[in-house]
Amino acid sequence: MSVYNSLKRARTPDSSRPEDETSSKKPRSSSPSLSSAIKAPVPVRFLIMSDTHDGHDKILKSTPQCDVLLHCGDFTQDGSPEAIKQVLDAFSKIEVELKLFIAGNHEIALDKEYYLSQGGTEEGHQKARRLLCTPGIRFLEEGTHELTLKSGTHFKIFVSPWTPRYGSSAFQYSTHKDRFNQSNMTPSWAENVGTTASIIPESVDIVMTHGPLKYVLDKPGDGTSAGREHLRRAIARTRPRLHCFGHVHKGYGAQRVRYDDRKTIKKEGDDRMVLLPQEWVGKNQAKRKGHANLPPGSAEKFRNNAQETLMVNAVIMDDDDQPENAPWLVELDLPSQEFDSKKVRNLG
């Protein structure tokens, strides 16, 4: 649930209790109403990309106007401190109010245990970590973060760089481990390793992970599914407005998801997620514009149905590992807050 909806529910009057006649004549409290602290939702433009693999120069030539840039990881190819510096320096120069980055499995120098196992040094790891403080870039560690734009628009985002183990790479974990849910949500065959940081909370607005959830934009091209079952269970439980990711290069695209609470859960692993058809993308048109976006009809349906989640696989590298896919431009209606702390306290 978003901050706007949670505060709105907290202030809903009890219509079943009749108003006392004398109390209605009393002067109203000077405490502000909800509307004085929470304004109507404001449209915020998110530019989403992933797996740029050092191909950022081509993307940054025509960055569309946006409020927030989300990079879902694998912004480098070899993950060295030098590559990390080059990419973050380039992105720091573009004019976007908020630029949020997470690591991917290619950012090996940021994963200390893996980096050292591959011959990296402690000095190299520390150098890479210091680069995360590049001015103009907000690098997010796994966990939930609350962010506010200059306009007062507020959102809560959960991020994670971790993907299931496939070959040898950084930020990977065993597929039988569930890191995104509480233990009572973990199936009997799996091991729960969730922490305060790694469990996705119910009230999150956006989820940004490096890899996809199971059966959603996760086909690597060999007929298998590369997505994560435990992540899917967490998304079905929390129902964020947006879930963006990358990692699977052949999964580029967008897909809306609905939830059917009338659906009967018949066996372990079932959920109430209903997948709508994958959105059509005119790749040539998107390249000319510098971004992809939902078709008008789908955008309107998504905007008018607050119970839907928009899934976006924003890999920039195409099937030939060339930076030919366009980033996604997505508009979300988010609450806007005023910052007078006294007003916020009085809402309770």
Side-chain angles (χ1 to χ4, degrees), residues 18-232:
E19 184 179 11
D20 181 76
E21 184 178 357
T22 57
S23 65
S24 65
K25 296 179 181 179
K26 293 179 182 179
R28 294 186 179 274
S29 168
S30 59
S31 297
S33 65
L34 174 69
S35 60
S36 67
I38 304 296
K39 300 178 182 178
V42 174
V44 177
R45 291 160 64 90
F46 290 85
L47 184 66
I48 310 166
M49 62 183 71
S50 186
D51 297 73
T52 47
H53 292 290
D54 295 334
H56 53 278
D57 286 343
K58 185 171 184 178
I59 296 299
L60 296 182
K61 286 180 180 178
S62 57
T63 304
Q65 184 178 1
C66 62
D67 304 295
V68 182
L69 184 148
L70 302 176
H71 198 302
C72 307
D74 276 6
F75 48 89
T76 66
Q77 180 62 30
D78 66 18
S80 65
E82 294 73 22
I84 292 173
K85 175 176 172 53
Q86 183 181 36
V87 174
L88 295 185
D89 281 348
F91 274 96
S92 70
K93 294 178 174 63
I94 66 173
E95 295 185 3
V96 178
E97 180 179 342
L98 191 59
K99 288 162 278 188
L100 305 179
F101 276 64
I102 63 172
N105 59 292
H106 274 249
E107 277 70 67
I108 62 173
L110 297 177
D111 183 344
K112 181 178 178 179
E113 182 177 350
Y114 179 78
Y115 189 54
L116 295 181
S117 74
Q118 299 299 304
T121 65
E122 174 71 26
E123 180 183 6
H125 170 68
Q126 292 301 328
K127 180 180 179 180
R129 297 293 306 178
R130 288 193 296 271
L131 292 170
L132 302 184
C133 297
T134 300
I137 300 292
R138 182 80 177 265
F139 189 90
L140 302 180
E141 305 287 356
E142 182 177 61
T144 305
H145 308 263
E146 296 194 51
L147 300 162
T148 304
L149 299 174
K150 294 175 182 177
S151 64
T153 306
H154 177 93
F155 63 95
K156 184 182 290 188
I157 182 171
F158 171 87
V159 306
S160 176
W162 293 87
T163 54
R165 182 165 291 116
Y166 183 80
S168 179
S169 200
F171 296 105
Q172 294 192 331
Y173 65 94
S174 300
T175 56
H176 76 282
K177 293 184 178 181
D178 179 3
R179 63 186 300 112
F180 300 112
N181 299 285
Q182 300 90 341
S183 57
N184 65 334
M185 293 289 294
T186 301
S188 56
W189 57 267
E191 176 188 358
N192 186 278
V193 293
T195 66
T196 302
S198 71
I199 294 174
I200 304 178
E202 305 289 341
S203 58
V204 72
D205 299 301
I206 300 170
V207 171
M208 177 166 64
T209 56
H210 180 53
L213 66 169
K214 197 171 184 66
Y215 302 135
V216 179
L217 306 172
D218 70 333
K219 300 297 189 294
D222 57 2
T224 63
S225 174
R228 294 171 281 179
E229 178 179 336
H230 306 304
L231 178 58
R232 178 179 173 123

Side-chain angles (χ1 to χ4, degrees), residues 271-338:
D271 57 46
R272 293 183 168 87
M273 190 177 288
V274 178
L275 307 183
L276 299 178
Q278 184 173 337
E279 302 293 342
W280 180 82
V281 181
K283 288 194 174 183
N284 290 333
Q285 182 184 29
K287 285 176 64 176
R288 289 194 298 269
K289 293 190 302 182
H291 69 272
N293 53 270
L294 290 177
S298 294
E300 182 177 4
K301 291 176 182 177
F302 175 64
R303 184 169 54 250
N304 292 334
N305 190 344
Q307 301 306 312
E308 288 187 355
T309 298
L310 177 62
M311 310 288 187
V312 176
N313 182 329
V315 291
I316 298 302
M317 291 292 170
D318 64 10
D319 294 352
D320 298 319
D321 287 331
Q322 297 299 315
E324 295 296 326
N325 291 332
W328 279 84
L329 190 64
V330 173
E331 188 173 282
L332 296 181
D333 289 336
L334 296 171
S336 179
Q337 292 182 290
E338 293 182 356

